[in-house]
Amino acid sequence: IPFPHVKIVYILTLDVNYRKKPVPFWMQGMLKAVYGRTYPAVVDGMCSIPERYNRKMERVIELEKEGAVFVIRPENPVTVSRTERDAGKLRKLHGEGYRLAMDRFDEMMRWLHEK
């Protein structure tokens, strides 16, 4: 960590076991066919999102085990889609996140104030 006096808290929206699936081969081909000549770096970036995300999550897990970062994340897989419109499901998920944050608040404050 470049700034030793800085403490990092991650608040994640997905559980510890979640990993993004690779972009399907047919989708990569379609993106390259449509945008590849004009925006090759954008296509490469879009196709590598899952790999980069998964690598970052592995690093967050390592840092958490070392005690270098504090992580708050759902305890169970999230079943609400990112385009969910059911207000009841969204309220329930919000309540779970709020409960988890409150349950871990004292632990986080101790971690933030330790030398």
Side-chain angles (χ1 to χ4, degrees):
I1 298 177
F3 302 100
H5 60 282
V6 174
K7 293 208 172 184
I8 299 170
V9 175
Y10 283 95
I11 300 174
L12 304 178
T13 58
L14 296 165
D15 67 282
V16 69
N17 295 314
Y18 177 82
R19 295 296 179 274
K20 287 187 180 283
K21 293 179 177 82
V23 175
F25 187 72
W26 64 267
M27 177 66 82
Q28 291 182 35
M30 187 175 72
L31 288 168
K32 286 177 184 174
V34 175
Y35 302 108
R37 287 190 175 188
T38 310
Y39 305 106
V42 172
V43 171
D44 290 343
M46 290 173 66
C47 292
S48 67
I49 287 171
E51 180 185 331
R52 287 181 289 129
Y53 172 88
N54 294 340
R55 209 172 37 240
K56 287 176 187 176
M57 287 303 102
E58 292 302 324
R59 182 65 178 139
V60 168
I61 290 168
E62 288 174 24
L63 291 169
E64 182 182 23
K65 287 178 183 174
E66 294 169 8
V69 300
F70 190 88
V71 181
I72 297 174
R73 67 168 66 81
E75 296 168 333
N76 301 306
V78 174
T79 58
V80 174
S81 77
R82 61 190 174 133
T83 57
E84 183 62 62
R85 296 176 62 144
D86 183 326
K89 287 182 181 179
L90 293 170
R91 274 196 288 290
K92 182 179 179 205
L93 181 61
H94 176 269
E96 290 173 18
Y98 184 83
R99 178 199 54 80
L100 181 60
M102 295 309 292
D103 288 351
R104 302 225 28 228
F105 183 78
D106 290 338
E107 178 186 359
M108 180 182 68
M109 294 308 289
R110 282 190 301 275
W111 180 80
L112 284 170
H113 291 98
E114 69 187 17
K115 302 276 182 197

